[in-house]
Short mmCIF file of all heavy atoms in Angstrom, two decimals:
data_model
loop_
_atom_site.label_atom_id
_atom_site.label_comp_id
_atom_site.label_asym_id
_atom_site.label_seq_id
_atom_site.Cartn_x
_atom_site.Cartn_y
_atom_site.Cartn_z
N LEU A 82 109.73 93.50 102.73
CA LEU A 82 111.06 94.00 102.42
C LEU A 82 111.39 93.77 100.94
O LEU A 82 112.01 94.61 100.28
CB LEU A 82 112.11 93.33 103.31
CG LEU A 82 112.08 93.72 104.79
CD1 LEU A 82 113.01 92.83 105.61
CD2 LEU A 82 112.46 95.19 104.97
N ALA A 83 110.99 92.60 100.41
CA ALA A 83 111.25 92.32 99.00
C ALA A 83 110.47 93.28 98.10
O ALA A 83 111.01 93.77 97.10
CB ALA A 83 110.88 90.87 98.69
N LEU A 84 109.22 93.55 98.45
CA LEU A 84 108.44 94.50 97.65
C LEU A 84 109.05 95.89 97.70
O LEU A 84 109.10 96.59 96.68
CB LEU A 84 106.99 94.54 98.16
CG LEU A 84 106.07 93.40 97.74
CD1 LEU A 84 104.72 93.53 98.43
CD2 LEU A 84 105.90 93.39 96.22
N ARG A 85 109.51 96.28 98.88
CA ARG A 85 110.11 97.61 99.02
C ARG A 85 111.32 97.77 98.10
O ARG A 85 111.55 98.85 97.55
CB ARG A 85 110.53 97.82 100.47
CG ARG A 85 110.98 99.24 100.79
CD ARG A 85 111.63 99.30 102.15
NE ARG A 85 112.91 98.59 102.17
CZ ARG A 85 113.67 98.46 103.26
NH1 ARG A 85 113.26 98.96 104.41
NH2 ARG A 85 114.82 97.82 103.21
N ASP A 86 112.06 96.67 97.93
CA ASP A 86 113.26 96.72 97.09
C ASP A 86 112.98 96.27 95.65
O ASP A 86 113.93 96.04 94.89
CB ASP A 86 114.35 95.84 97.70
CG ASP A 86 114.84 96.38 99.04
OD1 ASP A 86 114.67 97.59 99.27
OD2 ASP A 86 115.35 95.59 99.85
N ALA A 87 111.69 96.15 95.32
CA ALA A 87 111.28 95.74 93.97
C ALA A 87 111.84 94.36 93.59
O ALA A 87 112.09 94.08 92.41
CB ALA A 87 111.68 96.78 92.93
N GLU A 88 112.04 93.50 94.57
CA GLU A 88 112.49 92.13 94.31
C GLU A 88 111.25 91.26 94.19
O GLU A 88 110.87 90.51 95.09
CB GLU A 88 113.42 91.66 95.44
CG GLU A 88 114.71 92.47 95.53
CD GLU A 88 115.55 92.08 96.73
OE1 GLU A 88 115.02 91.40 97.65
OE2 GLU A 88 116.74 92.47 96.77
N TYR A 89 110.61 91.34 93.03
CA TYR A 89 109.29 90.76 92.87
C TYR A 89 109.32 89.23 92.86
O TYR A 89 108.38 88.59 93.33
CB TYR A 89 108.65 91.29 91.60
CG TYR A 89 108.36 92.78 91.67
CD1 TYR A 89 108.66 93.62 90.60
CD2 TYR A 89 107.80 93.34 92.81
CE1 TYR A 89 108.40 94.98 90.66
CE2 TYR A 89 107.55 94.70 92.89
CZ TYR A 89 107.85 95.51 91.82
OH TYR A 89 107.58 96.86 91.89
N ALA A 90 110.35 88.64 92.30
CA ALA A 90 110.43 87.17 92.29
C ALA A 90 110.49 86.63 93.72
O ALA A 90 109.81 85.65 94.06
CB ALA A 90 111.65 86.71 91.50
N GLU A 91 111.31 87.27 94.55
CA GLU A 91 111.40 86.85 95.94
C GLU A 91 110.07 87.07 96.67
O GLU A 91 109.63 86.23 97.45
CB GLU A 91 112.52 87.61 96.67
CG GLU A 91 113.92 87.20 96.26
CD GLU A 91 114.39 87.91 94.98
OE1 GLU A 91 113.56 88.60 94.35
OE2 GLU A 91 115.57 87.75 94.63
N ALA A 92 109.43 88.19 96.39
CA ALA A 92 108.15 88.49 97.05
C ALA A 92 107.11 87.43 96.74
O ALA A 92 106.36 86.98 97.63
CB ALA A 92 107.66 89.87 96.63
N THR A 93 107.04 87.01 95.47
CA THR A 93 106.05 86.00 95.11
C THR A 93 106.38 84.65 95.75
O THR A 93 105.47 83.91 96.16
CB THR A 93 105.95 85.83 93.59
OG1 THR A 93 107.23 85.50 93.05
CG2 THR A 93 105.44 87.11 92.94
N GLN A 94 107.66 84.33 95.89
CA GLN A 94 108.04 83.08 96.55
C GLN A 94 107.62 83.10 98.01
O GLN A 94 107.12 82.09 98.54
CB GLN A 94 109.55 82.85 96.43
CG GLN A 94 110.02 81.55 97.09
CD GLN A 94 109.34 80.33 96.52
OE1 GLN A 94 109.17 80.21 95.30
NE2 GLN A 94 108.94 79.41 97.38
N TYR A 95 107.82 84.22 98.68
CA TYR A 95 107.39 84.31 100.07
C TYR A 95 105.88 84.18 100.18
O TYR A 95 105.37 83.57 101.13
CB TYR A 95 107.84 85.64 100.67
CG TYR A 95 109.35 85.81 100.73
CD1 TYR A 95 109.95 87.04 100.42
CD2 TYR A 95 110.18 84.75 101.08
CE1 TYR A 95 111.33 87.19 100.47
CE2 TYR A 95 111.55 84.91 101.12
CZ TYR A 95 112.12 86.13 100.81
OH TYR A 95 113.49 86.28 100.85
N CYS A 96 105.16 84.72 99.21
CA CYS A 96 103.70 84.59 99.23
C CYS A 96 103.28 83.14 99.12
O CYS A 96 102.35 82.69 99.82
CB CYS A 96 103.08 85.39 98.09
SG CYS A 96 103.15 87.18 98.33
N ARG A 97 103.93 82.40 98.24
CA ARG A 97 103.58 80.98 98.11
C ARG A 97 103.85 80.24 99.42
O ARG A 97 103.08 79.36 99.82
CB ARG A 97 104.38 80.35 96.96
CG ARG A 97 104.12 80.97 95.60
CD ARG A 97 102.67 80.81 95.17
NE ARG A 97 102.33 79.40 94.96
CZ ARG A 97 102.42 78.77 93.80
NH1 ARG A 97 102.88 79.44 92.72
NH2 ARG A 97 102.07 77.51 93.66
N GLN A 98 104.94 80.58 100.09
CA GLN A 98 105.23 79.94 101.38
C GLN A 98 104.21 80.34 102.44
O GLN A 98 103.81 79.51 103.27
CB GLN A 98 106.65 80.32 101.83
CG GLN A 98 107.74 79.68 100.98
CD GLN A 98 109.13 80.13 101.40
OE1 GLN A 98 109.62 81.17 100.97
NE2 GLN A 98 109.75 79.35 102.25
N ILE A 99 103.79 81.59 102.42
CA ILE A 99 102.75 82.04 103.35
C ILE A 99 101.49 81.20 103.16
O ILE A 99 100.89 80.71 104.13
CB ILE A 99 102.44 83.53 103.14
CG1 ILE A 99 103.59 84.39 103.66
CG2 ILE A 99 101.13 83.92 103.85
CD1 ILE A 99 103.50 85.85 103.24
N LEU A 100 101.09 81.01 101.91
CA LEU A 100 99.86 80.28 101.63
C LEU A 100 100.00 78.79 101.92
O LEU A 100 99.00 78.11 102.18
CB LEU A 100 99.44 80.51 100.18
CG LEU A 100 99.07 81.97 99.86
CD1 LEU A 100 98.78 82.13 98.37
CD2 LEU A 100 97.90 82.43 100.71
N ASP A 101 101.21 78.27 101.88
CA ASP A 101 101.44 76.88 102.29
C ASP A 101 101.14 76.71 103.78
O ASP A 101 100.66 75.66 104.21
CB ASP A 101 102.88 76.46 102.01
CG ASP A 101 103.13 76.17 100.54
OD1 ASP A 101 102.14 75.96 99.80
OD2 ASP A 101 104.31 76.17 100.13
N VAL A 102 101.45 77.74 104.56
CA VAL A 102 101.21 77.68 106.00
C VAL A 102 99.75 78.02 106.32
O VAL A 102 99.12 77.36 107.16
CB VAL A 102 102.15 78.65 106.76
CG1 VAL A 102 101.86 78.64 108.26
CG2 VAL A 102 103.60 78.27 106.51
N ASP A 103 99.22 79.04 105.66
CA ASP A 103 97.86 79.49 105.93
C ASP A 103 97.23 79.97 104.62
O ASP A 103 97.56 81.05 104.13
CB ASP A 103 97.86 80.63 106.95
CG ASP A 103 96.46 81.07 107.34
OD1 ASP A 103 95.49 80.62 106.70
OD2 ASP A 103 96.33 81.87 108.28
N PRO A 104 96.33 79.18 104.03
CA PRO A 104 95.76 79.54 102.73
C PRO A 104 94.77 80.69 102.78
O PRO A 104 94.21 81.06 101.74
CB PRO A 104 95.06 78.25 102.29
CG PRO A 104 94.72 77.56 103.56
CD PRO A 104 95.83 77.89 104.52
N TYR A 105 94.56 81.29 103.97
CA TYR A 105 93.57 82.36 104.10
C TYR A 105 94.22 83.73 104.31
O TYR A 105 93.54 84.69 104.68
CB TYR A 105 92.61 82.07 105.25
CG TYR A 105 91.99 80.70 105.16
CD1 TYR A 105 92.22 79.75 106.14
CD2 TYR A 105 91.19 80.34 104.08
CE1 TYR A 105 91.66 78.49 106.06
CE2 TYR A 105 90.63 79.08 103.98
CZ TYR A 105 90.87 78.15 104.98
OH TYR A 105 90.32 76.89 104.87
N GLN A 106 95.53 83.83 104.07
CA GLN A 106 96.23 85.09 104.24
C GLN A 106 96.01 85.97 103.01
O GLN A 106 96.69 85.84 101.99
CB GLN A 106 97.72 84.84 104.46
CG GLN A 106 98.03 84.13 105.76
CD GLN A 106 98.00 85.07 106.94
OE1 GLN A 106 98.58 86.14 106.91
NE2 GLN A 106 97.32 84.66 108.01
N GLU A 107 95.05 86.88 103.10
CA GLU A 107 94.62 87.63 101.92
C GLU A 107 95.70 88.57 101.39
O GLU A 107 95.77 88.82 100.18
CB GLU A 107 93.34 88.41 102.24
CG GLU A 107 92.60 88.88 101.01
CD GLU A 107 91.19 89.34 101.31
OE1 GLU A 107 90.72 89.18 102.46
OE2 GLU A 107 90.55 89.85 100.38
N GLU A 108 96.57 89.06 102.28
CA GLU A 108 97.64 89.95 101.81
C GLU A 108 98.55 89.24 100.81
O GLU A 108 99.09 89.88 99.89
CB GLU A 108 98.45 90.46 102.99
CG GLU A 108 97.81 91.58 103.76
CD GLU A 108 98.73 92.08 104.85
OE1 GLU A 108 98.97 91.33 105.81
OE2 GLU A 108 99.22 93.21 104.73
N ALA A 109 98.75 87.94 100.99
CA ALA A 109 99.60 87.20 100.06
C ALA A 109 98.97 87.16 98.67
O ALA A 109 99.65 87.32 97.65
CB ALA A 109 99.85 85.79 100.58
N TYR A 110 97.67 86.94 98.62
CA TYR A 110 96.98 86.96 97.32
C TYR A 110 97.07 88.35 96.68
O TYR A 110 97.27 88.47 95.47
CB TYR A 110 95.51 86.57 97.49
CG TYR A 110 95.29 85.15 97.94
CD1 TYR A 110 94.89 84.87 99.24
CD2 TYR A 110 95.49 84.09 97.06
CE1 TYR A 110 94.69 83.57 99.66
CE2 TYR A 110 95.29 82.78 97.47
CZ TYR A 110 94.89 82.53 98.77
OH TYR A 110 94.69 81.23 99.18
N GLN A 111 96.92 89.38 97.50
CA GLN A 111 97.01 90.74 96.97
C GLN A 111 98.38 91.01 96.35
O GLN A 111 98.49 91.61 95.27
CB GLN A 111 96.72 91.75 98.08
CG GLN A 111 95.28 91.72 98.57
CD GLN A 111 95.08 92.56 99.82
OE1 GLN A 111 96.05 93.04 100.43
NE2 GLN A 111 93.84 92.74 100.23
N THR A 112 99.42 90.54 97.02
CA THR A 112 100.77 90.74 96.49
C THR A 112 100.95 89.99 95.17
O THR A 112 101.53 90.52 94.21
CB THR A 112 101.82 90.29 97.51
OG1 THR A 112 101.73 91.11 98.68
CG2 THR A 112 103.23 90.42 96.93
N LEU A 113 100.48 88.75 95.13
CA LEU A 113 100.59 87.98 93.88
C LEU A 113 99.83 88.67 92.75
O LEU A 113 100.32 88.75 91.62
CB LEU A 113 100.04 86.57 94.11
CG LEU A 113 100.93 85.65 94.98
CD1 LEU A 113 100.16 84.42 95.42
CD2 LEU A 113 102.19 85.25 94.23
N MET A 114 98.65 89.18 93.04
CA MET A 114 97.87 89.89 92.02
C MET A 114 98.60 91.16 91.57
O MET A 114 98.66 91.47 90.38
CB MET A 114 96.49 90.24 92.58
CG MET A 114 95.60 89.02 92.83
SD MET A 114 94.11 89.46 93.78
CE MET A 114 93.32 90.60 92.65
N TYR A 115 99.18 91.86 92.53
CA TYR A 115 99.90 93.10 92.21
C TYR A 115 101.10 92.82 91.31
O TYR A 115 101.30 93.49 90.28
CB TYR A 115 100.34 93.77 93.51
CG TYR A 115 101.31 94.90 93.31
CD1 TYR A 115 100.90 96.09 92.73
CD2 TYR A 115 102.64 94.78 93.71
CE1 TYR A 115 101.80 97.13 92.54
CE2 TYR A 115 103.53 95.81 93.52
CZ TYR A 115 103.11 96.99 92.94
OH TYR A 115 103.99 98.02 92.75
N VAL A 116 101.91 91.84 91.68
CA VAL A 116 103.12 91.55 90.90
C VAL A 116 102.76 91.10 89.49
O VAL A 116 103.34 91.58 88.50
CB VAL A 116 103.97 90.48 91.63
CG1 VAL A 116 105.10 90.01 90.72
CG2 VAL A 116 104.53 91.04 92.93
N HIS A 117 101.79 90.21 89.37
CA HIS A 117 101.39 89.76 88.03
C HIS A 117 100.77 90.91 87.24
O HIS A 117 100.96 91.02 86.02
CB HIS A 117 100.41 88.59 88.13
CG HIS A 117 101.06 87.31 88.51
ND1 HIS A 117 101.95 86.64 87.68
CD2 HIS A 117 100.96 86.54 89.64
CE1 HIS A 117 102.36 85.53 88.27
NE2 HIS A 117 101.78 85.45 89.46
N GLY A 118 100.03 91.78 87.94
CA GLY A 118 99.45 92.93 87.26
C GLY A 118 100.51 93.88 86.74
O GLY A 118 100.41 94.41 85.63
N LYS A 119 101.57 94.11 87.53
CA LYS A 119 102.65 94.98 87.08
C LYS A 119 103.35 94.40 85.86
O LYS A 119 103.91 95.13 85.04
CB LYS A 119 103.67 95.18 88.21
CG LYS A 119 103.13 95.98 89.40
CD LYS A 119 102.92 97.45 89.07
CE LYS A 119 104.24 98.19 89.01
NZ LYS A 119 104.04 99.65 88.82
N ARG A 120 103.32 93.07 85.74
CA ARG A 120 103.95 92.42 84.59
C ARG A 120 103.00 92.31 83.40
O ARG A 120 103.39 91.80 82.34
CB ARG A 120 104.40 91.00 84.99
CG ARG A 120 105.54 90.96 85.99
CD ARG A 120 105.77 89.53 86.46
NE ARG A 120 106.92 89.42 87.35
CZ ARG A 120 107.18 88.34 88.09
NH1 ARG A 120 106.38 87.29 88.02
NH2 ARG A 120 108.23 88.32 88.86
N GLY A 121 101.77 92.74 83.59
CA GLY A 121 100.79 92.64 82.51
C GLY A 121 100.20 91.26 82.36
O GLY A 121 99.56 90.96 81.33
N GLU A 122 100.38 90.40 83.35
CA GLU A 122 99.87 89.02 83.30
C GLU A 122 98.47 88.99 83.90
O GLU A 122 98.25 88.49 85.01
CB GLU A 122 100.83 88.10 84.04
CG GLU A 122 102.22 88.10 83.42
CD GLU A 122 103.29 87.50 84.32
OE1 GLU A 122 103.03 87.26 85.52
OE2 GLU A 122 104.41 87.29 83.83
N LEU A 123 97.52 89.52 83.16
CA LEU A 123 96.19 89.74 83.70
C LEU A 123 95.44 88.43 83.97
O LEU A 123 94.60 88.36 84.87
CB LEU A 123 95.39 90.62 82.75
CG LEU A 123 95.99 92.01 82.47
CD1 LEU A 123 95.05 92.84 81.61
CD2 LEU A 123 96.32 92.72 83.77
N GLY A 124 95.72 87.40 83.18
CA GLY A 124 95.10 86.10 83.45
C GLY A 124 95.50 85.57 84.81
O GLY A 124 94.66 85.00 85.53
N SER A 125 96.77 85.76 85.18
CA SER A 125 97.23 85.30 86.50
C SER A 125 96.61 86.14 87.61
O SER A 125 96.30 85.62 88.69
CB SER A 125 98.75 85.37 86.57
OG SER A 125 99.34 84.45 85.67
N VAL A 126 96.44 87.43 87.36
CA VAL A 126 95.78 88.28 88.34
C VAL A 126 94.38 87.74 88.63
O VAL A 126 93.98 87.57 89.78
CB VAL A 126 95.67 89.73 87.84
CG1 VAL A 126 94.88 90.58 88.84
CG2 VAL A 126 97.06 90.32 87.63
N LYS A 127 93.63 87.45 87.57
CA LYS A 127 92.26 86.93 87.73
C LYS A 127 92.28 85.56 88.41
O LYS A 127 91.43 85.27 89.29
CB LYS A 127 91.60 86.82 86.36
CG LYS A 127 90.17 86.28 86.39
CD LYS A 127 89.22 87.24 87.08
CE LYS A 127 87.76 86.90 86.76
NZ LYS A 127 87.38 85.53 87.09
N SER A 128 93.23 84.72 88.08
CA SER A 128 93.30 83.38 88.67
C SER A 128 93.55 83.45 90.17
O SER A 128 92.90 82.75 90.95
CB SER A 128 94.40 82.56 88.00
OG SER A 128 94.08 82.30 86.64
#
């Protein structure tokens, strides 16, 4: 829902919470990579 509304800060926070519960949720990593990529933060995308 946050991604749909372009609320990227909230989306990344939810991803961090997802990974706190289950570090193998690949969709959360994809979202983090996408948001950082849209911001041009390519080092974070790679990390």
Side-chain angles (χ1 to χ4, degrees):
L82 290 171
L84 281 175
R85 188 191 69 182
D86 294 337
E88 296 174 345
Y89 295 136
E91 288 83 352
T93 57
Q94 181 58 43
Y95 297 139
C96 288
R97 299 298 294 268
Q98 290 177 275
I99 288 168
L100 296 175
D101 284 341
V102 178
D103 184 351
Y105 308 117
Q106 294 281 312
E107 197 165 354
E108 282 184 292
Y110 294 106
Q111 292 170 351
T112 297
L113 288 166
M114 293 169 62
Y115 169 70
V116 171
H117 285 293
K119 293 290 285 186
R120 292 172 176 167
E122 299 164 349
L123 301 185
S125 294
V126 176
K127 180 66 164 56
S128 294

